Every structure is written in structure tokens, then in C-alpha cells.
């Protein structure tokens, strides 16, 4: 599991790859929260196109960031989930809270 | 009948090991790749619970998996000797978690992705999750009915 | 330190399971893909020996693997409670086999692909192969010096 | 692990794929030996281009067929081994007995 975090416009783009489980969620959560403060952005885009596996630990990081940003008027977007990842996103109910797009470019085009 | 037992340190990095090992054992049956992905999620949730809740993230304990293939069935037992669950019915409720950073969906995912599921827990003594899935069986309804 | 134990039925289809499981555990260290291929060969040879020679292909026995990661070292023990080896020195000779359809190279491959290697066997009681490899260590000479 | 056995010219072409270990060597050995009789060929080409893993059980099948055919004036050729397979072929000494080519076509072109 690897991730990169960068700012594009008013959006923090968090690109995840590999397997997202409890072995990485603590550091991922801390790094995203720190970047939110440092970059002063109000939205997050999780680019999931490189994710091969995600369980509820990974979903918990996404939902936690969503709750935090919604409280401040920001938003969380999802992009590029593969079928196996989309299945857990759907089953968890996250797709009823957040918008999901085929690619990161789709999201940036829309909100940029 | 084919049996395998895995026992490993209660460390977060072993969750991936458990997933891969179970998928390798399960692949002796006629599961599709999508079935194997679902089985991996169920295993990941149960093993994570043993490490995080059962053992409170202390790495020197052992998590035990017992795998059995009999005819078309894969049975998986995930066993810890950790703190146990006081109220199993409550723990099984979707979105119930004792940890605010977690989703409370672990047990729901196990039930969604496996054909049979049971939890047996004794406070102070540990927890045993028993789940099984039939190769080639259709996936159950997405919403767990527990 | 990270530990894992695998125990499984002495069936030929579990040799692949053992390889995949060991590689998944080993991948926590900084092994290259080529290192992992070599470790898989060593595991495959030792587990095959336990099934074929130790248990004479009878499927109802159990093969045990004990895996330990400590600092940069992976240690693998492959244990059977089968028939044991009468003359270990002879068994270690390259091209020596008690089975005409086999190469007699299992022990040579284990020695070539692992940094440390030892066999401990008692006739009638079983065999224990202990091997270890350092992550990032250069491969040993191709010709085993046993 | 899968394999196909067919005759081309005076050569039995055995194309292996996947992982060649003790779980398949018994049936592979029997099928190759039966095909040698049925097709009445004198040479075997093992096309290893699809093989991801081979240990000494697989090498034993190759060496066994080699010994058998050499006794009758035939030969065994190898083609397409990936690096990890080539390593065990070399280490076992089989490459000192048999010729190994990049592709099955190279062998058939030469002996055909
Ligand atoms: N192995 C276990 N040992 C102790 N408590 C557990 C165990 N598994 C689950 N629990 C309890 O059950 C609750 C619900 O579990 P789950 O549905 O997997 O959600 P989550 O893991 O996200 O909290 C947990 O929050 C925890 O209190
Ligand atoms: N686990 C074991 N139990 C009993 N005998 C064994 C075991 N492992 C190896 N041996 C003996 O040692 C010999 C050499 O083993 P090896 O070098 O792996 O070659 P091979 O397996 O091809 O015969 C075997 O033929 C067998 O007689």
C-alpha cells in the first residue's frame, strides 16, 4: 500500500494504491489530516484507481474525513474504484453520502 | 477433506498474510475471482477484529485460523483468546462499534460475503467466528439481516 | 519479531498453498521477486519431501511449518512426524534419491536457495528441516557444498 | 497447472503452463508416456513458456523422459523457460544434457 497526497485547486487529492487495510489506516488518517491543515483545503478527492483491496478499516478513514469536512462545509469525492472496491463502498452505504466518478479527472473537471 | 491451521502474531501486517493464505487454500475449490475477493474481505474483517478488539493491538498474542474444505464447502474459524464480547447481539448490529474511528461494519461484511456465519464469545476468554461458503453458490442479499 | 505457524493435510495440492503462504509472510521483509521465487522452491522441496517421503503420500497426516521473521532474517522450519531418514549424510548427497522417478535434488535446492540449512531427523519419528535467509543477502554459490 | 500434448512432425510438443509441482507430475508423466506410445514419436519438446513455477518434481518428469528417449535414439528439447525456471534447469544440470531454445518455433524449425 502506497499513497500520495497533493493539492489541486481547492481539493486535496489522495491517491491510494495496493491494499488498504488496518496496517496502513493509522498513518493514512494522520497524513491526510495533517495535509488538510497544511494546505488549508476544504475538499478531498480519494483516487481509488490503484486500489486492489479495501475493507472496512479503509472505509472508516474515508467516512471519518467526510464527517470532519462536512462539518466545515467541505466535501469528499471518490474516483476510479475497481469492482471489488465498489462493492464494499456500496454495501457500506458510503455511496449514498458521497459522489463517485469513473476518474479523478472527472471530479477535478467538475469542481475545479 | 483438506485441513489447514494458521497461527500468527497479532500484528496488523499479518492481516494481509491471512487474506492471501486463505485465498490460496480456498482456490482449491471452484471459486471465482470475485468470490475470492469477498472471502478475503470477510477474513480481513475477522482477523482485524481479533487483533484490534480482541487483543487491543498488542502484538505478542496469537490469532488462530482453522480452515476446512469438505466437498464444495470452505469453512473458516477465526479464533482469539482476547477480551471477548460482552453483548454479542449488540456487536452484530450494523454500524455498531466500540471504536469511533471504525465503521462497525465488520460483522455485516462477514455475513454478507459468507453463506453461514456464527460468533461464539466469552468475556475475558476470547472470541471465535465461524463462517463458511459454498463454492459456486450465489452471493447472499447485500443487506445483512442480523 | 513476527511469527506464523501453518499446519495442513499431507496432500500434494497443499504444496502450492504452502509456497504462497510463505511468500506472503516473507514479503514483509525486503526480498526481491527473484528472492521470493527461490524461497518458494526451497519450501516446495521441503514440503514435498514431508508428504512424499515422510508420509508416503498418505493424505491424513499433518505437515507443520514454523515461520519467524526477526530483524532481516526469515526462518522456516518444515516438520513432519513421518518415517524419518536413516542416513542423513547420504540423503544430502546431490542426485541421491530413494525414488527412481525423483531427481534427488530437493536438499541441494534448499541449500542453494537459502543462507542457512540444517536437517534433524529420527527414523520412525520424523524430520525437521530448518532453513533461513537474510533479506537483501546475495545468493550463495549455485553448487551446494554439502 | 495445465498442459497440452500434440504431435508436430516427429516431435511430441508438450506445452506446460502455471505451476509444475508434485500435484501434477504423476498425471503429466502418464499422459506424456501414453502419448509417446500412441503417436509413435521419437522426440519431445517441452514448451515451458507458460510455466510460472517449477521445482525438482517437474524436472524429474523431464529427466525421466530424456533417459527413456535417449535409450531409443530420440531426444528432448526445452523452449521458452522464464528466468526463474531457467535457474532450476541450470542448477539441476539438465541444461548440460538438453538443448534449450528461446521459443518452441526455434526447435521445430531446427529439427523439423
Ligand atoms: N474478536 C473480538 N474481540 C472483542 N470484541 C470484538 C471482536 N470482534 C468484534 N468485537 C466487538 O464488536 C464490535 C463490532 O464489530 P464490527 O462489526 O466488526 O465493527 P468494528 O470492528 O468496525 O468496530 C466491535 O466494535 C467490538 O466492540
Ligand atoms: N521428510 C523426509 N522424510 C523421510 N525421508 C526424507 C525426507 N526428506 C528427504 N528424505 C530422503 O532423502 C532423500 C533425498 O531427498 P531430496 O534431496 O529432497 O531428493 P528427492 O526428494 O528428489 O528424493 C529422499 O529420496 C528420501 O529418501
Amino acid at each position: 500500500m502506497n499513497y500520495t497526497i497533493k493539492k489541486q485547486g481547492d481539493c486535496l487529492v489522495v491517491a491510494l494504491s495496493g491494499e488498504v487495510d488496518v496496517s496502513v489506516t493509522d498513518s493514512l488518517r494522520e497524513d491526510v489530516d495533517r495535509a488538510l491543515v497544511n494546505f488549508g483545503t476544504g475538499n478531498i478527492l480519494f483516487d481509488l484507481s490503484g486500489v486492489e483491496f479495501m475493507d472496512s478499516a479503509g472505509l472508516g478513514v474515508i467516512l471519518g474525513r467526510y464527517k470532519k469536512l462536512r462539518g466545515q462545509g467541505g466535501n469528499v469525492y471518490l474516483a476510479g474504484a475497481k469492482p471489488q472496491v465498489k462493492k464494499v463502498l456500496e454495501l457500506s452505504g458510503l455511496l449514498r453520502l458521497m459522489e463517485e466518478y469513473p476518474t479523478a479527472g472527472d471530479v477535478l473537471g467538475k469542481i475545479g | 477433506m483438506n485441513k489447514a491451521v494458521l497461527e500468527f502474531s497479532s500484528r496488523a501486517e499479518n492481516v494481509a498474510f491471512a487474506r492471501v493464505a486463505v485465498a490460496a487454500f480456498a482456490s482449491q475449490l471452484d471459486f471465482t475471482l470475485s468470490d475470492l475477493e469477498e472471502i478475503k474481505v470477510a477474513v480481513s474483517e475477522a482477523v482485524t477484529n481479533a487483533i484490534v478488539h480482541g487483543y487491543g493491538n498488542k502484538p505478542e498474542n496469537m490469532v488462530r485460523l482453522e480452515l476446512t474444505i469438505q466437498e464444495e464447502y470452505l469453512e473458516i474459524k477465526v479464533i482469539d483468546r482476547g477480551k471477548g464480547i460482552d453483548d454479542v447481539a449488540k456487536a452484530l448490529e450494523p454500524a455498531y462499534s466500540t471504536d469511533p474511528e471504525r465503521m462497525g461494519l465488520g460483522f455485516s461484511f462477514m455475513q454478507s460475503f459468507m453463506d453461514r456465519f456464527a460468533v461464539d464469545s466469552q468475556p475475558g476468554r476470547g472470541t471465535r467466528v465461524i463462517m463458511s461458503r459454498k463454492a459456486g453458490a450465489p452471493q447472499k442479499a447485500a443487506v445483512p439481516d442480523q
Side-chain angles (χ1 to χ4, degrees), chain A, chain B:
Chain A
M1 159 75 184
N2 282 306
Y3 50 88
T4 60
I5 304 179
K6 62 180 184 198
K7 188 178 169 177
Q8 269 186 267
D10 186 36
C11 195
L12 200 67
V13 180
V14 182
L16 307 174
S17 66
E19 311 210 338
V20 186
D21 69 10
V22 68
S23 68
V24 294
T25 43
D26 282 351
S27 73
L28 175 62
R29 185 186 303 112
E30 284 168 26
D31 288 342
V32 171
D33 284 353
R34 192 178 309 112
L36 280 173
V37 173
N38 289 348
F39 291 133
T41 46
N43 303 299
I44 301 178
L45 159 59
F46 285 101
D47 181 350
L48 307 174
S49 57
V51 176
E52 302 297 336
F53 176 88
M54 177 152 10
D55 63 14
S56 75
L59 301 175
V61 174
I62 297 176
L63 181 63
R65 291 336 96 204
Y66 173 84
K67 287 181 179 167
K68 187 166 176 161
L69 288 187
R70 291 303 279 170
Q72 307 161 2
N75 216 338
V76 169
Y77 302 90
L78 307 174
K82 295 187 178 165
Q84 65 268 32
V85 175
K86 194 135 179 187
K87 198 182 286 173
V88 295
L89 286 171
E90 258 160 15
L91 210 51
S92 69
L94 287 197
L95 292 190
R96 290 198 296 271
L97 299 175
M98 298 163 219
E99 294 171 49
E100 201 266 339
Y101 294 83
T103 70
D106 295 334
V107 179
L108 294 169
K110 182 177 167 275
I111 66 169
Chain B
M1 187 166 88
N2 193 359
K3 284 195 295 185
V5 174
L6 271 88
E7 253 183 76
F8 48 85
S9 307
S10 51
R11 304 173 74 99
E13 58 265 43
N14 286 337
V15 179
F17 164 64
R19 283 197 298 270
V20 173
V22 172
F25 191 71
S27 66
Q28 296 172 11
L29 287 177
D30 207 16
F31 288 118
T32 64
L33 282 183
S34 157
D35 293 344
L36 291 174
E37 286 297 331
E38 296 185 354
I39 292 167
K40 278 163 105 171
V41 174
V43 169
S44 203
E45 299 295 344
V47 171
T48 301
N49 280 355
I51 295 172
V52 171
H53 303 300
Y55 292 127
N57 287 305
K58 285 193 226 81
E60 69 277 12
N61 299 289
M62 296 300 274
V63 179
R64 183 177 170 95
L65 263 66
E66 297 180 0
L67 311 178
T68 314
I69 286 177
Q70 199 153 20
E71 285 158 23
E72 292 303 288
Y73 286 91
L74 170 71
E75 186 190 72
I76 304 169
K77 291 186 189 153
V78 181
I79 301 160
D80 69 65
R81 303 198 163 279
K83 81 180 213 293
I85 304 177
D86 288 326
D87 184 344
V88 171
K90 182 137 210 98
L92 291 178
E93 285 172 14
Y96 174 83
S97 177
T98 47
D99 178 340
E101 277 293 344
R102 293 180 58 81
M103 299 281 288
L105 288 182
F107 282 135
S108 304
F109 280 3
M110 293 178 228
Q111 291 175 78
S112 298
F113 292 143
M114 301 296 284
D115 294 321
R116 285 167 188 216
F117 167 87
V119 195
D120 175 17
S121 187
Q122 281 184 281
R125 303 205 44 191
T127 301
R128 172 186 302 251
V129 171
I130 304 165
M131 16 191 210
S132 72
R133 182 154 170 169
K134 189 171 190 288
Q139 189 195 323
K140 275 193 12 186
V143 181
D145 49 18
Q146 173 61 47

